[in-house]
Amino acid sequence: MARRTSSYVCQACGAVSGRWAGRCESCGEWNTIVEEADGGIAAGPGRRPQKGRVVELVPLDGDTDEAPRIVSGIAELDRVTGGGFVTGSVLLVGGDPGIGKSTLLLQAAAAVAIAGHRVVYVSGEEAVAQVRLRAERLALAAAPVALATETSVEDVLATLAAGPPPALVIIDSVQTLWTESVDSAPGTVTQLRASAQLMVRYAKASGAAIVLVGHVTKDGQIAGPRVVEHLVDAVLYFEGDSGHQFRILRAVKNRFGPTDEIGVFEMTGAGLAEIANPSELFLGDRDAASPGAAVFAGIEGTRPLLVEIQALVTPSPLGTPRRAVIGWDPGRLAMVVAVLQARCGVRFADHDIYLNIAGGLKIGEPAADLAVAAALVSSLTGITLPADTVYFGEISLSGAIRPVPQANARLKEAAKLGFARAVAPRAVADEAGAGAVTGLDSLADLVARIAAGTTE
Ligand code: TYD
Ligand code: MG
């Protein structure tokens, strides 16, 4: 008889090792390693190795059909998925508990069902009554969505096979699924992987679009991230902070569409409302009269987005001054501060720095460097920046201002929202011609202009 083997799997990162340890060597988490019996779906006990079948090899070019999509009609969601749910694909939607994943997906389910497709919503977390209450609150109780509360993959698949073939299946959440095909306890990485694999197989075989909801851990990753993320066709994150009304849906992986698009929603008393013009929202309650605020003309995906960057620079009582950053990369802030010190003689060594992206947005673009530098210098000197000016440009370690992509889209959005001037890399000003754009060669240029109180 074959010896039963088991391996030790970290429940945080999915790393597998041959022995138990108190701390995972891969991710450094403590007490996350659990013994799991070996044997995924393919290698279950009693399976005989099968003889391989010869598959057809084809050239790279040839006729391909554009994957058919199910449009949800929620424009912000369709934008992020790349034009709707792709039939036969699996989409993972991750996010913190309470951020609004179930709300978003119930709204999407209802919209697709109302459009005439069969939609099955499987809730493993909430009772039927809770889902019904939410539907009522969203005024969607009349939508023909088929609802079930179930956590066993076998039962879910049997249910789906018994009824008419669904076009869209929503599983809320993937962490509650468990399958009999593996021995591990429900909730373990092995269970998660096996369950997700079975759902992926079902999607490919049936042509249904499947949405898996996943909770994220405190450090922002879907629990057992590597094991599920690579199995699915697309991964979207639903972010936002519970203190703010708006939520951002962001694609981090998409086999059928762009990965840099965002969708913006606002959580209202009656569910998630789409925000078609996010710049207006992010600039909503701007206090342009105080120093330390600079408006950044950014790009999210294909969409220009204006946001306010706020800096507060205060004398520090500490030996090692504080640097607190919300919504931006702390490493990049350190770089901008270092360049300001080394190339422009602006010293922050005795000051605490607080940097905040207004509205809870997270910015990843290097183009925000210039706006951050402007906000920092403004706060340090107490000189208010002109209220009608936007900033964008990447700062290099030499202190030069480097060009950034899509300058025209940024300028257009700024003009649309009533900003008369832009401070940008030199190349942008040259292209735009004389007038509204101030071109900068170096960061020292920016500092001099702020000190002189002019952007001309
Ligand atoms: P939910 O969709 O249950 O979050 P998740 O599935 O990501 O855990 O949403 C939870 C929060 O949203 C909850 O705190 C209440 C709030 N909410 C509203 O503000 N308005 C609404 O219409 C709904 C349905 C929820
Ligand atoms: Mg939920």
Side-chain angles (χ1 to χ4, degrees):
M1 201 176 97
R3 196 165 62 91
R4 264 185 68 106
T5 56
S6 56
S7 43
Y8 297 85
V9 184
C10 171
Q11 303 299 303
C13 72
V16 182
S17 56
R19 61 189 171 80
W20 189 85
R23 181 167 185 258
C24 172
E25 281 178 9
S26 172
C27 67
E29 285 286 318
W30 287 92
N31 289 330
T32 52
I33 296 187
V34 170
E35 180 177 1
E36 293 185 12
D38 275 344
I41 309 168
R47 286 270 182 130
R48 228 176 283 142
Q50 286 171 2
K51 201 155 178 269
R53 155 180 82 83
V54 179
V55 297
E56 187 193 357
L57 299 170
V58 296
L60 277 178
D61 69 334
D63 290 338
T64 45
D65 300 326
E66 177 81 358
R69 289 180 184 264
I70 305 164
V71 178
S72 74
I74 301 174
E76 294 294 299
L77 174 62
D78 290 336
R79 178 207 309 281
V80 180
T81 53
F85 300 110
V86 177
T87 58
S89 82
V90 180
L91 174 72
L92 177 67
V93 177
D96 290 325
I99 204 74
K101 300 179 296 296
S102 302
T103 307
L104 176 70
L105 291 169
L106 189 60
Q107 285 180 261
V112 171
I114 289 169
H117 301 282
R118 179 168 163 81
V119 180
V120 178
Y121 189 106
V122 182
S123 176
E125 298 196 333
E126 292 166 309
V128 167
Q130 282 173 296
V131 181
R132 282 189 177 152
L133 265 178
R134 180 180 293 123
E136 212 166 282
R137 182 169 178 186
L138 301 172
L140 294 171
V145 174
L147 174 65
T149 52
E150 185 50 65
T151 56
S152 152
V153 177
E154 282 74 25
D155 291 354
V156 168
L157 292 178
T159 309
L160 294 177
L168 177 65
V169 180
I170 291 169
I171 307 282
D172 188 0
S173 67
V174 66
Q175 273 106 349
T176 58
L177 283 185
W178 65 281
T179 164
E180 283 158 20
S181 66
V182 293
D183 288 341
S184 308
T188 57
V189 168
T190 306
Q191 275 290 352
L192 188 66
R193 175 171 37 207
S195 304
Q197 244 161 17
L198 287 167
M199 294 314 297
V200 170
R201 192 180 290 178
Y202 171 78
K204 306 285 173 220
S206 70
I210 297 202
V211 178
L212 302 175
V213 175
H215 293 294
V216 296
T217 55
K218 56 183 183 310
D219 48 350
Q221 290 192 308
I222 293 176
R226 275 161 247 169
V227 297
V228 182
E229 288 195 358
H230 79 264
L231 289 177
V232 300
D233 298 298
V235 180
L236 310 183
Y237 276 93
F238 204 36
E239 352 171 297
D241 97 57
S242 42
H244 286 107
Q245 290 304 68
F246 32 91
R247 305 277 182 265
I248 289 160
L249 188 66
R250 194 186 288 277
V252 295
K253 162 179 173 177
N254 196 346
R255 288 186 183 148
F256 302 103
T259 52
D260 48 5
E261 287 292 358
I262 63 165
V264 185
F265 298 88
E266 184 179 3
M267 182 60 98
T268 69
L272 291 155
E274 299 174 55
I275 304 290
N277 193 342
S279 296
E280 276 169 18
L281 181 83
F282 289 115
L283 292 178
D285 7 82
R286 191 157 80 94
D287 178 12
S290 57
V295 176
F296 166 52
I299 296 278
E300 288 287 348
T302 54
R303 218 163 24 158
L305 185 62
L306 302 194
V307 279
E308 186 183 57
I309 293 184
Q310 303 164 345
L312 178 63
V313 179
T314 59
S316 176
L318 307 169
T320 311
R322 275 200 80 168
R323 270 87 176 99
V325 190
I326 298 173
W328 209 48
D329 175 10
R332 260 207 105 86
L333 172 68
M335 189 203 85
V336 171
V337 168
V339 176
L340 277 169
Q341 291 192 163
R343 311 284 176 201
C344 315
V346 182
R347 287 186 53 79
F348 293 95
D350 304 325
H351 289 83
D352 289 336
I353 297 177
Y354 302 90
L355 189 80
N356 179 37
I357 310 299
L361 191 71
K362 285 197 188 80
I363 298 181
E365 262 195 301
D369 292 353
L370 195 62
V372 169
L376 289 172
V377 174
S378 163
S379 179
L380 180 71
T381 58
I383 300 170
T384 307
L385 298 172
D388 64 344
T389 304
V390 297
Y391 298 81
F392 61 92
E394 182 177 345
I395 296 172
S396 72
L397 289 178
S398 67
I401 308 293
R402 298 162 47 98
V404 295
Q406 308 201 47
N408 281 337
R410 297 174 202 264
L411 294 175
K412 243 193 230 157
E413 177 80 356
K416 199 169 96 191
L417 286 153
F419 289 85
R421 306 200 58 82
V423 174
R426 167 76 60 203
V428 175
D430 291 347
E431 202 174 301
V437 184
T438 303
L440 297 183
D441 291 314
S442 71
L443 191 56
D445 230 7
L446 174 80
V447 175
R449 280 167 200 273
I450 294 175
T454 171
T455 53
E456 303 298 310

